[in-house]
Amino acid sequence: MLRIYQVDAFHHEVLRGNPAAVIPLDKWLDDDKLQAIAQENNLSETAFFLPEQDGAMPLRWFTPNKEVRLCGHATLATAHVLFAEIGITAPSIRFQTLSGILTVERLERGYRMDFPADFGQSIAAPAGLAEALGTDCSITIEGKDDVMVVLPSEQEVAQLQPDFNALLNIPKVRGVIVSAPGEEVDFVSRCFFPKYAINEDPVTGSAHTLMTPYWAERLAKKKLSAWQISTRKGILGCELRNDRVLLEGQASTYLRGQIYLD
């Protein structure tokens, strides 16, 4: 029997933001078992973590079909579980992950995460991307895992209706981020990951490690406000600090439960 929590991350209200499952473990299960649990949960991400080892808690993230190198909302959800549910009293938590050490600090309202920045490079849009998105891709930025397309307005981002089957065929791309200046915040976005069985991710913390350096340079400011304008909506504070991106957000517990395995 395992404990399971479901947390809505990057919003101050339950049933908004991005839901993540969080499962504490005493030791790692087989990878196939971890993947099967994530598939059963059928959320954008399921996070698994172990007790602290050498000053950091091992943390891994799985989509319904793959393990990922970096996940923001499930890291935020895991920190929320540790602080709000399990009762960690330290001011911050260190996680050991595939992206190195990630730190999450408790704030008066919400949490601040310290992630590596992703400084993207301008490229020609991959073949088929404009057709798959149904929009102009003249500004395309390549990051470590994803590509970002920058559009002129929030309205154009909101109105996109991508062909997800066509996005599956874009080579060498994990996911596609579409961003634009915001009407009420500094920038907005939507994020599409059909290769990871997530057509549209409600809120994507990792994507903001690519968007933040871009918008910080374009807007000539280090601290920015952002909305991910999916149906569930995500609210983020972003700051570029040298080669790191600080992401702030709130989270709410939706579910506490138990998993029964053979």
Side-chain angles (χ1 to χ4, degrees):
M1 183 177 69
L2 302 174
R3 287 176 293 165
I4 183 171
Y5 303 87
Q6 189 169 315
V7 174
D8 292 337
F10 286 121
H11 206 286
H12 55 276
E13 297 177 2
V14 74
L15 304 178
R16 305 296 298 275
N18 199 352
V22 180
I23 300 174
L25 297 173
D26 294 324
K27 61 181 181 179
W28 292 125
L29 305 176
D30 292 342
D31 284 4
D32 288 347
K33 184 75 74 174
L34 298 176
Q35 187 63 72
I37 293 170
Q39 184 179 41
E40 182 85 3
N41 291 336
N42 200 32
L43 298 170
S44 295
E45 233 84 28
T46 296
F48 302 91
F49 71 92
L50 299 184
E52 185 175 303
Q53 301 174 12
D54 300 322
M57 293 183 176
L59 173 64
R60 299 171 70 183
W61 313 277
F62 288 77
T63 75
N65 70 354
K66 294 180 182 179
E67 185 174 9
V68 296
R69 185 184 60 81
L70 180 64
C71 178
H73 86 279
T75 302
L76 179 62
T78 303
H80 175 77
V81 166
L82 286 162
F83 284 125
E85 299 292 334
I86 294 176
I88 296 291
T89 57
S92 63
I93 299 170
R94 286 162 50 90
F95 293 110
Q96 176 63 57
T97 77
L98 291 176
S99 290
I101 295 293
L102 306 179
T103 303
V104 184
E105 176 187 358
R106 177 166 39 190
L107 305 176
E108 184 175 343
R109 295 180 63 186
Y111 309 94
R112 180 187 294 121
M113 303 188 296
D114 184 338
F115 280 12
D118 186 358
F119 294 94
Q121 302 293 324
S122 294
I123 61 167
L129 182 59
E131 292 77 10
L133 289 175
T135 191
D136 176 72
C137 293
S138 57
I139 302 178
T140 300
I141 309 296
E142 182 181 46
K144 295 175 183 176
D145 297 308
D146 308 317
V147 295
M148 174 175 65
V149 174
V150 181
L151 297 182
S153 72
E154 179 174 331
Q155 183 178 13
E156 290 175 75
V157 175
Q159 292 176 343
L160 282 178
Q161 296 183 352
D163 181 337
F164 296 116
N165 287 329
L167 285 178
L168 286 171
N169 297 320
I170 305 300
K172 300 180 181 179
V173 171
R174 181 187 71 163
V176 176
I177 305 160
V178 183
S179 187
E183 297 171 0
E184 299 179 58
V185 292
D186 289 311
F187 66 91
V188 299
S189 64
R190 292 173 66 192
C191 298
F192 311 110
F193 299 92
K195 291 181 181 179
Y196 280 67
I198 308 161
N199 281 345
E200 180 166 1
D201 197 29
V203 196
T204 316
S206 62
H208 287 77
T209 66
L210 176 59
M211 288 187 282
T212 297
Y214 174 84
W215 289 110
E217 180 178 6
R218 178 162 162 175
L219 300 177
K221 57 192 299 189
K222 299 293 186 181
K223 293 186 177 182
L224 306 111
S225 56
W227 287 351
Q228 192 155 327
I229 53 173
S230 64
T231 302
R232 293 179 61 105
K233 187 179 179 181
I235 302 172
L236 302 92
C238 309
E239 179 181 353
L240 180 63
R241 187 177 293 180
N242 299 319
D243 62 347
R244 308 292 293 183
V245 168
L246 306 183
L247 299 177
E248 292 187 14
Q250 298 187 50
S252 302
T253 302
Y254 169 76
L255 176 150
R256 305 178 187 94
Q258 297 172 327
I259 295 175
Y260 297 91
L261 302 175
D262 293 337

